[in-house]
Amino acid sequence: MTTPAVLVIDVQQALCEGPGAAHDGAGTIARINAVTARARQAGVAVIFIQHEGRDGYLEHGTPGWQLAAGLSALPGDLRLRKTTPDSFHHTGLQELLQARGIDTLVICGMHTEFCVDTTTRRAMALGYPVTLVADGHTSAGNPHLSAPQVIAHHNATLSNISSFGPRTRVVPAEAIDFSPPESPAP
């Protein structure tokens, strides 16, 4: 039996507004809320990870650093701050997961090609199987790829990495299920 946790990465206000807003922010947040609600109902830990920068952009405590409007975060949820795209680097994430016996991760958030990608790869390298919420991560895109192309590319790429041992499964939000597997009938 596995013990999962949901990592909600960088779903912060500054990434959801203005000309550089992530694609389908409101829809992505709604799907993340559905996943985290099911997780909480099953007693699965929900961990909100917030990036913090300098010079005003995503600076700790600023309005842009706050969790995005519409994102459902409850008092019992856990919070973690980070300063790099890797949610494990110089944070207490690994220790928190180990202390709670968590051995598998469900990952969603922003931005696909930076923090979601880096954290997913690092999780696999550390031995965690990952379920990537296929429609629960997003990007603002870039001059070479639209946001939907970035998302599709990472869904395909991350699910095809096998060299770490643990794998990433890509599953739509509506199909994420935290119910324990049924025991076979005697």
Side-chain angles (χ1 to χ4, degrees):
M1 185 145 140
T2 63
T3 303
V6 178
L7 302 185
V8 181
I9 301 171
D10 299 351
V11 183
Q12 294 168 256
Q13 194 59 41
L15 301 176
C16 296
E17 60 190 13
H23 168 73
D24 188 26
T28 302
I29 289 169
R31 290 183 290 278
I32 290 170
N33 285 342
V35 169
T36 58
R38 287 195 303 276
R40 289 183 199 101
Q41 187 173 29
V44 170
V46 175
I47 305 168
F48 288 93
I49 300 169
Q50 288 168 269
H51 191 87
E52 54 186 64
R54 297 187 177 100
D55 303 323
Y57 184 70
L58 293 179
E59 193 169 331
H60 180 261
T62 63
W65 177 83
Q66 303 301 323
L67 293 176
L71 186 64
S72 177
L74 301 181
D77 295 333
L78 302 167
R79 302 256 183 132
L80 187 76
R81 294 161 44 187
K82 67 178 184 61
T83 57
T84 72
D86 180 351
S87 297
F88 291 92
H89 188 69
H90 295 304
T91 71
L93 181 57
Q94 173 76 341
E95 293 78 12
L96 184 142
L97 298 175
Q98 289 175 337
R100 292 174 169 262
I102 294 165
D103 56 10
T104 185
L105 299 173
V106 175
I107 295 180
C108 52
M110 298 177 183
H111 275 155
T112 299
E113 68 273 40
F114 298 111
C115 301
V116 171
D117 175 86
T118 304
T119 299
T120 299
R121 290 172 191 258
R122 181 74 183 275
M124 288 188 293
L126 289 170
Y128 295 97
V130 172
T131 298
L132 180 62
V133 184
D135 51 355
H137 62 96
T138 190
S139 167
N142 61 59
H144 306 287
L145 297 172
S146 69
Q149 289 172 318
V150 169
I151 295 163
H153 170 80
H154 282 79
N155 282 343
T157 301
L158 292 169
S159 65
N160 279 295
I161 296 173
S162 61
S163 56
F164 290 119
R167 301 289 302 260
T168 293
R169 294 179 321 121
V170 177
V171 180
E174 67 182 21
I176 302 286
D177 183 10
F178 296 101
S179 304
E182 291 185 27
S183 302

